[in-house]
Amino acid sequence: MKIVSVRSHVLQCDMPEVLGYSQQYYSKRSAHLVEIVTDEGLIGWGECFGPGNIALANKGIVEGVIAPMILGMDPLDRDVIWHKVYNLMRDHGQKGMPMQSLSGVDIALWDLAGKIAGLPVHKLIGGAHRTSVTAYGYGMMLRPESTADMAARFVDEAAAIKDMGFAATKMKIGQGPQDDVILAEAVRRGVGDDFPFMADANHAYMTADAFYVGRALEELGAYWFEEPVAPEDLDGYRELRAGLKVNISGGEAEFNRWGWRQILENRGLDIAQPEVCALGGITEYLRVLALAHAHFTPVANHVWGSAISVATNLQLLAAMPPMPGGLFPWEPMLEFDTTENRFRDELLKEPLDIQGQVARTGRVAIPQGPGIGVEPDPDVIAKYEV
């Protein structure tokens, strides 16, 4: 069997309202899918992390750089393909967009492998440690409005996410230390005293301000403080972890096993958050997961993207070993963006219906079909493709 085609599909649509995080506001939703076709007509699907113009740049890397390297190769030679592509791009990008592009290609190859074997990806990895997972509802995005208005909105939004049946919720911060405390207090009011909530700063702070916000999050009983400082500031992560009681999480902006080795050896994370659609795909994710567990660091996958990303992560969460082993191990949760996302809700021929599952049972079932277990609708791709 040979690879005969590698194509990118960049999808984009207007959002119903402007949303943001600590770095920017955005008004369009994007997704970047990778389609790999074999000479026997089988198709594998993957996804590359990266919004807007980054997705368009990654499309050029996938089709103009990676595709010529792998056309004619056996799609089952995933590790051979991974190292060939990485080694030939190493001088030009050990991190960032080249790795995001390789991620989408690698996920598509795993999807193909599952379809060839007639098995879901979690079976190819080694089996399912769980057949369903809990999920936390991601919401409370920043808006271009006053802190007081946002705080009032956050109270209601946090309460609504709790009422949907999610096991926890996560908010955005990054407005400035004092404003962020006001917003975090609003979320705590919305969910009540005992419901877990997390705060994501998207590396908005220097260490001193991160300590200020982190101490407030401690008082509010937050479960984790995500990306408090820049991903390059490994010393800052270590200082925050040593000086705060709230869990410090991060890693979505790190790539491959070599980058993750530095983070984990630095001992700056309580919870690791690898992004499979960015760090190098499933092939490299499995190495990063093994590194994290070798450093006794639990993993909560970062999930942001289309239904392809969600399905891929469900396969990985199924196959994640319990840590530590025993009757009551630390269990991963699925990250679920509760804001409107057409490329998650409309993309598939058979939707995952995450919110419906959570409302009915409080859990999300692992797809059991071959590969990543889902198939996109070509009409939806044609409708939104840039």
Side-chain angles (χ1 to χ4, degrees):
M1 188 178 295
K2 295 181 180 180
I3 298 169
V4 296
S5 173
V6 180
R7 292 187 60 201
S8 276
H9 303 276
V10 176
L11 314 182
Q12 194 168 83
C13 67
D14 292 327
M15 295 171 60
E17 63 175 325
V18 174
L19 297 175
Y21 60 108
S22 68
Q23 306 301 316
Q24 65 174 337
Y25 294 100
Y26 54 98
S27 61
K28 293 182 181 294
R29 174 83 65 178
S30 300
H32 177 190
L33 309 184
V34 175
E35 177 189 18
I36 296 181
V37 183
T38 73
D39 58 353
E40 295 185 10
L42 288 175
I43 299 174
W45 291 95
E47 181 163 357
C48 305
F49 183 71
N53 290 334
I54 292 173
L56 292 171
N58 285 343
K59 176 182 174 70
I61 297 173
V62 169
E63 295 186 344
V65 180
I66 298 177
M69 297 181 191
I70 69 173
L71 288 174
M73 293 186 70
D74 186 335
L76 291 177
D77 289 344
R78 297 183 301 281
D79 196 56
V80 174
I81 288 171
W82 197 98
H83 283 91
K84 176 181 181 179
V85 172
Y86 182 79
N87 289 334
L88 289 174
M89 293 197 302
R90 178 181 247 137
D91 291 351
H92 315 288
Q94 299 153 30
K95 299 175 183 282
M97 290 190 289
M99 293 302 297
Q100 292 171 348
S101 301
L102 176 54
S103 299
V105 170
D106 182 78
I107 293 168
L109 291 173
W110 275 87
D111 187 37
L112 271 172
K115 289 170 178 173
I116 292 167
L119 296 170
V121 163
H122 67 260
K123 281 290 189 183
L124 300 184
I125 294 172
H129 292 277
R130 54 196 65 82
T131 58
S132 65
V133 293
T134 59
Y136 69 85
Y138 190 173
M140 288 73 74
M141 303 287 290
L142 302 181
R143 273 91 166 177
E145 59 191 24
S146 71
T147 298
D149 288 342
M150 243 192 303
R153 188 195 295 256
F154 279 17
V155 171
D156 294 338
E157 190 173 352
I161 290 172
K162 179 182 178 181
D163 289 343
M164 290 175 192
F166 289 100
T169 190
K170 188 168 78 175
M171 65 180 298
K172 290 294 191 186
I173 56 175
Q175 293 286 97
Q178 294 179 336
D179 286 346
D180 283 349
V181 174
I182 293 171
L183 295 176
E185 289 172 341
V187 170
R188 175 51 80 199
R189 288 197 303 275
V191 298
D193 292 337
D194 299 324
F195 192 75
F197 87 96
M198 296 81 84
D200 183 0
N202 291 107
H203 48 81
Y205 293 123
M206 303 295 283
T207 311
D209 285 340
F211 267 112
Y212 179 95
V213 176
R215 291 188 182 105
L217 292 174
E218 282 180 351
E219 293 297 319
L220 292 167
Y223 183 43
W224 75 56
F225 185 8
E226 183 170 335
E227 279 205 307
V229 294
E232 301 94 333
D233 187 7
L234 299 185
D235 290 339
Y237 272 97
R238 188 174 61 249
E239 291 165 9
L240 289 163
R241 187 187 183 202
L244 293 173
K245 296 177 183 177
V246 63
N247 290 313
I248 301 300
S249 68
E252 71 184 73
E254 192 49 84
F255 303 86
N256 66 48
R257 76 200 83 157
W258 299 285
W260 272 95
R261 180 187 64 183
Q262 290 182 299
I263 289 181
L264 294 164
E265 289 179 352
N266 189 64
R267 306 294 289 176
L269 293 178
D270 293 292
I271 298 169
Q273 295 174 294
E275 168 55 71
V276 67
C277 297
L279 63 78
I282 295 173
T283 298
E284 196 67 356
Y285 167 91
L286 294 174
R287 297 183 179 111
V288 169
L289 176 66
L291 275 174
H293 282 190
H295 287 82
F296 296 96
T297 304
V299 172
N301 293 357
H302 180 265
V303 185
W304 181 267
S306 79
I308 299 298
S309 170
V310 174
T312 300
N313 277 280
L314 285 170
Q315 296 293 330
L316 299 177
L317 293 176
M320 185 186 296
M323 191 191 128
L327 289 174
F328 306 106
W330 190 92
E331 284 287 336
M333 294 185 289
L334 173 70
E335 178 175 10
F336 183 81
D337 170 22
T338 61
T339 63
E340 186 205 55
N341 186 344
R342 299 179 207 174
F343 305 139
R344 181 194 59 224
D345 300 335
E346 299 178 15
L347 179 65
L348 301 181
K349 293 178 179 178
E350 296 183 14
L352 290 167
D353 187 27
I354 303 294
Q355 286 177 270
Q357 291 189 64
V358 169
R360 290 189 295 272
T361 68
R363 300 185 68 85
V364 182
I366 307 301
Q368 298 298 315
I372 61 172
V374 297
E375 286 294 324
D377 185 335
D379 292 336
V380 176
I381 293 175
K383 178 180 178 180
Y384 291 109
E385 188 162 12
V386 176

